[in-house]
Amino acid sequence: MIRGEAGFTLAETVTALMVFGVLVSVALPILGELQIRHQSHVHRMEALILLKSEMERVQSSTVPVPATGEKNKKGKGVNYRIRWEKKYAEPHLAGTYVEVTWKDANQKRQRETLKGLSFRR
Protein backbone atom coordinates (compact mmCIF):
# COMPACT_ATOMS: atom_id res chain seq x y z
CA MET A 1 0.00 0.00 0.00
CA ILE A 2 1.27 3.48 -0.89
CA ARG A 3 1.68 5.94 1.96
CA GLY A 4 -0.95 8.59 2.31
CA GLU A 5 -3.66 6.60 0.52
CA ALA A 6 -6.48 4.71 2.22
CA GLY A 7 -7.67 1.29 1.05
CA PHE A 8 -6.14 -1.80 -0.52
CA THR A 9 -4.44 -2.19 -3.87
CA LEU A 10 -5.86 -4.48 -6.54
CA ALA A 11 -3.02 -6.98 -6.00
CA GLU A 12 -3.76 -7.20 -2.26
CA THR A 13 -7.48 -7.72 -2.90
CA VAL A 14 -6.90 -10.43 -5.53
CA THR A 15 -4.42 -12.20 -3.25
CA ALA A 16 -6.89 -12.18 -0.35
CA LEU A 17 -9.65 -13.56 -2.61
CA MET A 18 -7.34 -16.32 -3.89
CA VAL A 19 -6.43 -17.36 -0.34
CA PHE A 20 -10.11 -17.34 0.60
CA GLY A 21 -10.94 -19.46 -2.47
CA VAL A 22 -8.30 -22.04 -1.55
CA LEU A 23 -9.60 -22.24 2.01
CA VAL A 24 -13.18 -22.71 0.81
CA SER A 25 -12.17 -25.38 -1.72
CA VAL A 26 -10.49 -27.34 1.08
CA ALA A 27 -13.27 -26.81 3.64
CA LEU A 28 -16.28 -27.82 1.48
CA PRO A 29 -15.38 -31.51 1.00
CA ILE A 30 -14.53 -31.81 4.68
CA LEU A 31 -17.87 -30.26 5.60
CA GLY A 32 -19.70 -32.68 3.29
CA GLU A 33 -17.94 -35.65 4.88
CA LEU A 34 -18.82 -34.39 8.35
CA GLN A 35 -22.49 -34.10 7.38
CA ILE A 36 -22.52 -37.68 6.05
CA ARG A 37 -20.82 -38.94 9.21
CA HIS A 38 -23.29 -37.03 11.41
CA GLN A 39 -26.24 -38.51 9.52
CA SER A 40 -24.75 -41.98 9.96
CA HIS A 41 -24.50 -41.43 13.72
CA VAL A 42 -28.09 -40.17 13.85
CA HIS A 43 -29.33 -43.31 12.04
CA ARG A 44 -27.31 -45.55 14.36
CA MET A 45 -28.74 -43.83 17.44
CA GLU A 46 -32.29 -44.19 16.06
CA ALA A 47 -31.58 -47.88 15.46
CA LEU A 48 -30.32 -48.35 19.01
CA ILE A 49 -33.42 -46.66 20.43
CA LEU A 50 -35.64 -48.91 18.30
CA LEU A 51 -33.59 -51.93 19.34
CA LYS A 52 -33.95 -51.23 23.06
CA SER A 53 -37.65 -50.42 22.87
CA GLU A 54 -38.35 -53.57 20.85
CA MET A 55 -36.37 -55.67 23.33
CA GLU A 56 -38.43 -54.26 26.18
CA ARG A 57 -41.64 -54.91 24.28
CA VAL A 58 -40.71 -58.51 23.43
CA GLN A 59 -39.48 -59.31 26.94
CA SER A 60 -42.47 -57.68 28.61
CA SER A 61 -44.85 -60.21 30.13
CA THR A 62 -47.82 -57.82 29.93
CA VAL A 63 -47.96 -57.66 26.12
CA PRO A 64 -48.48 -60.92 24.20
CA VAL A 65 -45.87 -61.10 21.42
CA PRO A 66 -45.36 -63.88 18.86
CA ALA A 67 -42.20 -65.95 19.38
CA THR A 68 -40.70 -64.67 16.11
CA GLY A 69 -41.60 -61.66 14.06
CA GLU A 70 -40.57 -58.87 11.81
CA LYS A 71 -41.74 -55.33 11.17
CA ASN A 72 -40.62 -52.24 9.32
CA LYS A 73 -40.35 -48.79 10.82
CA LYS A 74 -39.74 -45.56 8.97
CA GLY A 75 -37.23 -43.16 10.49
CA LYS A 76 -35.82 -39.82 9.39
CA GLY A 77 -34.86 -40.58 5.79
CA VAL A 78 -34.26 -44.30 6.36
CA ASN A 79 -36.30 -47.49 6.70
CA TYR A 80 -35.50 -49.84 9.57
CA ARG A 81 -36.27 -53.56 9.53
CA ILE A 82 -36.78 -55.03 13.00
CA ARG A 83 -36.65 -58.78 13.62
CA TRP A 84 -37.07 -60.61 16.90
CA GLU A 85 -37.00 -64.15 18.16
CA LYS A 86 -37.92 -65.43 21.60
CA LYS A 87 -37.04 -68.97 22.72
CA TYR A 88 -37.78 -70.64 26.02
CA ALA A 89 -34.80 -72.54 27.39
CA GLU A 90 -36.68 -73.51 30.55
CA PRO A 91 -40.31 -72.95 31.54
CA HIS A 92 -39.32 -69.74 33.34
CA LEU A 93 -36.30 -68.65 31.30
CA ALA A 94 -36.59 -67.02 27.88
CA GLY A 95 -33.81 -65.94 25.55
CA THR A 96 -34.57 -62.99 23.31
CA TYR A 97 -32.78 -61.84 20.15
CA VAL A 98 -33.61 -58.54 18.45
CA GLU A 99 -32.00 -57.21 15.27
CA VAL A 100 -32.39 -53.87 13.49
CA THR A 101 -31.07 -53.44 9.93
CA TRP A 102 -31.01 -50.43 7.62
CA LYS A 103 -29.06 -48.98 4.69
CA ASP A 104 -26.78 -45.99 5.22
CA ALA A 105 -26.09 -43.08 2.85
CA ASN A 106 -23.73 -45.28 0.78
CA GLN A 107 -26.44 -47.98 0.51
CA LYS A 108 -24.34 -50.24 2.72
CA ARG A 109 -26.36 -52.55 4.97
CA GLN A 110 -25.95 -51.75 8.66
CA ARG A 111 -27.00 -53.97 11.56
CA GLU A 112 -27.36 -53.71 15.33
CA THR A 113 -28.32 -56.67 17.52
CA LEU A 114 -29.24 -57.21 21.12
CA LYS A 115 -29.55 -60.46 23.06
CA GLY A 116 -31.11 -60.91 26.45
CA LEU A 117 -32.40 -63.37 28.99
CA SER A 118 -35.56 -62.88 31.00
CA PHE A 119 -36.94 -64.75 33.95
CA ARG A 120 -40.67 -64.87 34.48
CA ARG A 121 -42.61 -66.31 37.37
PDB file of all heavy atoms in Angstrom, residues 5 11 25 56 73 77 90 106-107:
ATOM      1  N   GLU A   5      -2.406   6.994   1.152  1.00  0.00           N
ATOM      2  CA  GLU A   5      -3.657   6.595   0.519  1.00  0.00           C
ATOM      3  C   GLU A   5      -4.367   5.590   1.410  1.00  0.00           C
ATOM      4  O   GLU A   5      -3.741   4.758   2.059  1.00  0.00           O
ATOM      5  CB  GLU A   5      -3.396   5.968  -0.842  1.00  0.00           C
ATOM      6  CG  GLU A   5      -2.854   6.945  -1.842  1.00  0.00           C
ATOM      7  CD  GLU A   5      -2.695   6.309  -3.203  1.00  0.00           C
ATOM      8  OE1 GLU A   5      -3.382   5.304  -3.476  1.00  0.00           O
ATOM      9  OE2 GLU A   5      -1.894   6.809  -3.993  1.00  0.00           O
ATOM     10  N   ALA A  11      -3.807  -5.758  -6.235  1.00  0.00           N
ATOM     11  CA  ALA A  11      -3.021  -6.983  -5.997  1.00  0.00           C
ATOM     12  C   ALA A  11      -3.323  -7.569  -4.619  1.00  0.00           C
ATOM     13  O   ALA A  11      -3.448  -8.792  -4.461  1.00  0.00           O
ATOM     14  CB  ALA A  11      -1.534  -6.684  -6.131  1.00  0.00           C
ATOM     15  N   SER A  25     -12.254 -24.137  -0.938  1.00  0.00           N
ATOM     16  CA  SER A  25     -12.172 -25.377  -1.718  1.00  0.00           C
ATOM     17  C   SER A  25     -11.675 -26.546  -0.865  1.00  0.00           C
ATOM     18  O   SER A  25     -11.995 -27.698  -1.153  1.00  0.00           O
ATOM     19  CB  SER A  25     -11.273 -25.185  -2.937  1.00  0.00           C
ATOM     20  OG  SER A  25      -9.926 -25.025  -2.533  1.00  0.00           O
ATOM     21  N   GLU A  56     -37.543 -54.405  25.027  1.00  0.00           N
ATOM     22  CA  GLU A  56     -38.431 -54.255  26.180  1.00  0.00           C
ATOM     23  C   GLU A  56     -39.834 -54.760  25.863  1.00  0.00           C
ATOM     24  O   GLU A  56     -40.472 -55.408  26.684  1.00  0.00           O
ATOM     25  CB  GLU A  56     -38.492 -52.789  26.615  1.00  0.00           C
ATOM     26  CG  GLU A  56     -37.218 -52.304  27.263  1.00  0.00           C
ATOM     27  CD  GLU A  56     -37.237 -50.826  27.582  1.00  0.00           C
ATOM     28  OE1 GLU A  56     -38.290 -50.175  27.398  1.00  0.00           O
ATOM     29  OE2 GLU A  56     -36.191 -50.315  28.014  1.00  0.00           O
ATOM     30  N   LYS A  73     -40.077 -50.079  10.194  1.00  0.00           N
ATOM     31  CA  LYS A  73     -40.354 -48.791  10.822  1.00  0.00           C
ATOM     32  C   LYS A  73     -39.631 -47.723  10.024  1.00  0.00           C
ATOM     33  O   LYS A  73     -38.471 -47.892   9.636  1.00  0.00           O
ATOM     34  CB  LYS A  73     -39.839 -48.811  12.259  1.00  0.00           C
ATOM     35  CG  LYS A  73     -40.268 -47.659  13.071  1.00  0.00           C
ATOM     36  CD  LYS A  73     -40.992 -48.145  14.289  1.00  0.00           C
ATOM     37  CE  LYS A  73     -41.519 -46.953  15.041  1.00  0.00           C
ATOM     38  NZ  LYS A  73     -42.272 -47.317  16.165  1.00  0.00           N
ATOM     39  N   GLY A  77     -35.583 -40.347   7.034  1.00  0.00           N
ATOM     40  CA  GLY A  77     -34.858 -40.583   5.794  1.00  0.00           C
ATOM     41  C   GLY A  77     -34.336 -41.992   5.621  1.00  0.00           C
ATOM     42  O   GLY A  77     -33.535 -42.238   4.725  1.00  0.00           O
ATOM     43  N   GLU A  90     -36.033 -72.842  29.407  1.00  0.00           N
ATOM     44  CA  GLU A  90     -36.682 -73.506  30.549  1.00  0.00           C
ATOM     45  C   GLU A  90     -38.090 -72.929  30.632  1.00  0.00           C
ATOM     46  O   GLU A  90     -38.387 -71.930  29.984  1.00  0.00           O
ATOM     47  CB  GLU A  90     -35.906 -73.194  31.838  1.00  0.00           C
ATOM     48  CG  GLU A  90     -34.456 -73.607  31.830  1.00  0.00           C
ATOM     49  CD  GLU A  90     -34.266 -75.041  32.266  1.00  0.00           C
ATOM     50  OE1 GLU A  90     -35.095 -75.537  33.051  1.00  0.00           O
ATOM     51  OE2 GLU A  90     -33.301 -75.666  31.813  1.00  0.00           O
ATOM     52  N   ASN A 106     -24.452 -44.611   1.881  1.00  0.00           N
ATOM     53  CA  ASN A 106     -23.735 -45.279   0.785  1.00  0.00           C
ATOM     54  C   ASN A 106     -24.422 -46.554   0.342  1.00  0.00           C
ATOM     55  O   ASN A 106     -23.824 -47.359  -0.373  1.00  0.00           O
ATOM     56  CB  ASN A 106     -22.300 -45.588   1.220  1.00  0.00           C
ATOM     57  CG  ASN A 106     -21.524 -44.342   1.544  1.00  0.00           C
ATOM     58  OD1 ASN A 106     -21.734 -43.298   0.931  1.00  0.00           O
ATOM     59  ND2 ASN A 106     -20.643 -44.423   2.513  1.00  0.00           N
ATOM     60  N   GLN A 107     -25.652 -46.778   0.800  1.00  0.00           N
ATOM     61  CA  GLN A 107     -26.442 -47.979   0.508  1.00  0.00           C
ATOM     62  C   GLN A 107     -25.773 -49.250   1.045  1.00  0.00           C
ATOM     63  O   GLN A 107     -25.998 -50.338   0.537  1.00  0.00           O
ATOM     64  CB  GLN A 107     -26.725 -48.113  -0.998  1.00  0.00           C
ATOM     65  CG  GLN A 107     -27.556 -46.978  -1.556  1.00  0.00           C
ATOM     66  CD  GLN A 107     -28.904 -46.878  -0.861  1.00  0.00           C
ATOM     67  OE1 GLN A 107     -29.598 -47.855  -0.679  1.00  0.00           O
ATOM     68  NE2 GLN A 107     -29.267 -45.671  -0.453  1.00  0.00           N
TER      69      GLN A 107
END
